Amino acid sequence: MRRKGLAIMAAQTVATSATPGSVDLGPATGLSCRECGNRFELGPIFACVECFGPLEVAYELPAGDPEALRAAIEAGPNNIWRYAPLLPVPADVASKPSLNPGFTKLVDAANLAKELGVTGKLYVKDDSGNPTHSFKDRVVAIAVEAARAFGYTTLSCSSTGNLAGAVGAAAARAGFRSCVFIPHDLEQGKVVMAGVYGGDLVGIEGNYDDVNRFCSELIGDPLGEGWGFVNVNLRPYYGEGSKTLAYEICEQLGWRLPDQIVIPIASGSQLTKIDKGLQELIKLGLVEDKPYKIFGAQAEGCSPVSTAFKAGHDVVRPQKPNTIAKSLAIGNPADGPYVLDIARRTGGFVEDVTDEQVVEAIRILAQTEGIFAETAGGVTVGVTKKLIENGQLDPSLTTVVLNTGDGLKTLEAVAGSGQTATIRPSLDAFRAAGLA
């Protein structure tokens, strides 16, 4: 009932705050319900008032010569705004104050491939190179444009850590106030990074799902008036930022689809939007249409989607998170059922790994490719290793693995790493330590 009330309240807000056609979000033409197909005008509405299904952005995508569109994209800025014609943002978005995230490295991971027994090409899409060192900068950048369009003055979110920092930084750059909400027991590195930007950072006693419920209540209260919650009432726009990962991967592969891609699952939105982005590239003729497989990765201590997948269920039953991979610790993932559909449609799989395997995978990636991943990256690499060992991922095909954040934010996970030895400043001491 609360979701129904929030959906109706959001629809009323749209009706009273914007006149039809007054919102400029580029090629975006409206919102469409994933479940019933009901259409709505662009606005801060996130659930269908008819069936309460999730909404996503509908577009009038560019038509015409794919070669000309490729050339226009390649001539654009080295960030996500090169794809502005495919995103819900105004045409002049690149001229506005922004952190300008995206176009991060696609690393040819030959050393990791050898370690894992991959005979085909293996790449790591390393999104730790974004401004606040996680992929969340992409989704927040899109949400900021929606917040501007709808006249919001405060940016907010419920966060497992990375999103809090991304919202704080983007708000500071774009001139918004920020107030973000996190579980009270997050990794200290993420807490410090989220707080340094000068906005309000509020710890909530409980896990992420408790934080998210609180934010939903705040949206429906006068206290939340003028607030854009990037992953709640701005969620349809926010989610579209993940499509840019698909666009970049294909462009960096020479405008080709990968054969296989392994993606971490928190809410599941990233995985569903990457699939949407791949489908859009096919529709536009920017890449050749061919089969690809999408694999989802979770930590065993919070694995509601992999549990449902392996049991053959269509419903994802909530779990209470208990894992070091706190950025993925969402026990009731909103997009879980859609992840199941995509993994099954593409012939992929959803797997999970233990915390011990997460730590092992962080070390493997660091020691083979010099990439220090946070725990979510450890989950993805660990699941990739497990999928290969179990014969579910073909090691002869072109595979892309996502690293979505920087290991400096989750130092606690590898706290045992450090000095090999402590010696006196002499060659004899160095020899005695057995390091020569």
Side-chain angles (χ1 to χ4, degrees):
M1 289 302 293
R2 181 171 64 191
R3 186 177 185 184
K4 178 179 180 181
L6 289 170
I8 293 172
M9 210 176 316
Q12 291 171 342
T13 300
V14 174
T16 57
S17 66
T19 58
S22 66
V23 174
D24 176 15
L25 290 176
T29 57
L31 299 174
S32 176
C33 177
R34 282 195 211 172
E35 294 295 325
C36 71
N38 199 16
R39 292 290 294 259
F40 300 86
E41 292 180 355
L42 295 169
I45 176 172
F46 55 96
C48 176
V49 296
E50 299 296 330
C51 73
F52 320 124
L55 302 182
E56 63 178 21
V57 179
Y59 295 92
E60 185 176 334
L61 292 174
D65 181 11
E67 289 296 335
L69 181 54
R70 279 197 205 100
I73 289 171
E74 291 170 355
N78 287 329
N79 53 56
I80 62 172
W81 305 136
R82 68 200 283 119
Y83 308 110
L86 312 181
L87 297 169
V89 295
D92 64 348
V93 63
S95 67
K96 298 183 178 183
S98 168
L99 295 178
N100 298 324
F103 221 66
T104 54
K105 293 179 181 179
L106 184 68
V107 178
D108 186 344
N111 295 331
L112 179 63
K114 184 177 179 180
E115 175 71 22
L116 299 184
V118 173
T119 56
K121 296 292 289 185
L122 178 65
Y123 297 90
V124 175
K125 180 59 172 171
D126 185 14
D127 246 25
S128 66
N130 275 310
T132 69
H133 307 287
S134 90
F135 93 95
K136 292 295 187 181
D137 290 321
R138 297 174 181 271
V139 291
V140 171
I142 307 296
V144 165
E145 295 311 309
R148 283 189 175 120
F150 304 139
Y152 288 130
T153 56
T154 297
L155 288 183
S156 187
C157 69
S158 52
S159 174
T160 56
N162 283 323
L163 182 57
V167 168
R173 171 69 177 143
F176 287 83
R177 178 204 172 205
S178 69
C179 181
V180 300
F181 302 90
I182 59 173
H184 70 286
D185 59 350
L186 279 186
E187 302 99 334
Q188 189 61 23
K190 290 181 180 176
V191 173
V192 172
M193 187 168 189
V196 75
Y197 300 109
D200 293 316
L201 179 65
V202 182
I204 300 291
E205 295 178 359
N207 59 31
Y208 173 80
D209 298 296
D210 297 314
V211 179
N212 204 36
R213 280 191 293 270
F214 169 79
C215 288
S216 296
E217 292 174 1
L218 184 53
I219 289 173
D221 190 276
L223 287 171
E225 185 176 349
W227 288 37
F229 288 79
V230 300
N231 56 343
V232 189
N233 58 353
L234 297 177
R235 187 175 182 83
Y237 313 95
Y238 159 94
E240 295 295 283
S242 290
K243 294 193 309 180
T244 61
L245 280 161
Y247 300 156
E248 288 178 19
I249 288 168
C250 291
E251 182 180 353
Q252 290 169 323
L253 288 174
W255 294 106
R256 292 184 297 112
L257 292 168
D259 297 315
Q260 304 171 134
I261 184 166
V262 187
I263 305 168
I265 298 170
S267 72
S269 175
Q270 183 185 69
L271 187 148
T272 65
K273 296 305 181 183
I274 287 176
D275 179 64
K276 183 180 180 181
L278 297 177
Q279 290 296 311
E280 287 177 349
L281 293 180
I282 292 170
K283 182 180 178 180
L284 290 165
L286 294 175
V287 297
E288 180 185 355
D289 187 3
K290 72 177 187 66
Y292 60 85
K293 293 183 179 182
I294 291 184
F295 297 85
Q298 293 202 290
E300 186 180 276
C302 186
S303 54
V305 185
S306 65
T307 299
F309 184 91
K310 288 186 278 190
H313 296 161
D314 295 324
V315 175
V316 176
R317 299 185 65 177
Q319 295 181 357
K320 185 175 181 179
N322 182 23
T323 173
I324 62 171
K326 293 183 179 180
S327 60
L328 304 183
I330 297 180
N332 188 18
D335 283 58
Y338 304 103
V339 170
L340 296 176
D341 292 343
I342 290 168
R344 288 166 180 156
R345 170 173 58 79
T346 65
F349 202 86
V350 185
E351 187 55 274
D352 54 79
V353 285
T354 65
D355 283 354
E356 291 74 19
Q357 290 170 315
V358 171
V359 174
E360 177 194 16
I362 291 172
R363 296 185 191 279
I364 289 173
L365 182 58
Q367 293 167 12
T368 57
E369 299 298 340
I371 297 172
F372 184 17
E374 69 157 81
T375 48
V379 168
T380 311
V381 173
V383 162
T384 302
K385 182 175 185 289
K386 187 173 181 179
L387 291 169
I388 292 169
E389 292 170 348
N390 293 344
Q392 291 151 336
L393 188 146
D394 189 337
S396 69
L397 298 179
T398 297
T399 305
V400 176
V401 176
L402 265 61
N403 174 43
T404 54
D406 195 321
L408 291 174
K409 297 184 179 184
T410 57
L411 291 171
E412 296 90 338
V414 288
S417 303
Q419 298 178 11
T420 304
T422 302
I423 63 171
R424 299 187 316 279
S426 73
L427 292 176
D428 288 342
F430 182 62
R431 290 189 185 96
L435 301 172

